[in-house]
Amino acid sequence: MKSAASSPADGRPPAEAVRPAADNIPLGIALMIGATLLLTLSNAFSKHLVAHYPVGEVMFLRSSIAFGLVC
């Protein structure tokens, strides 16, 4: 008889068996550093643009670019 901890009743493998074979920690660190750098550059660029253009226009441009990247 199988124990309940080793396999659920419906025959699926336990949760720990579904995990990926290896976590890619260096890639995760690199992506986090890259995201931080991009956020910092976006903030600095926006502050520079606000000195020359209206705030609403800069916010619209920044949001439009972010929306396009997310989509």
Side-chain angles (χ1 to χ4, degrees), residues 3-70:
S3 68
S6 65
S7 180
D10 61 358
R12 289 182 298 154
E16 52 271 354
V18 179
R19 278 186 22 193
D23 294 332
N24 200 343
I25 294 173
L27 177 62
I29 292 171
L31 289 174
M32 289 176 71
I33 291 171
T36 303
L37 289 174
L38 287 175
L39 182 63
T40 303
L41 287 173
S42 175
N43 192 17
F45 191 63
S46 295
K47 286 183 181 184
H48 174 72
L49 286 176
V50 167
H52 304 287
Y53 298 101
V55 174
E57 192 172 331
V58 174
M59 287 177 57
F60 177 77
L61 178 67
R62 184 177 177 181
S63 298
S64 298
I65 292 171
F67 181 71
L69 290 173
V70 169

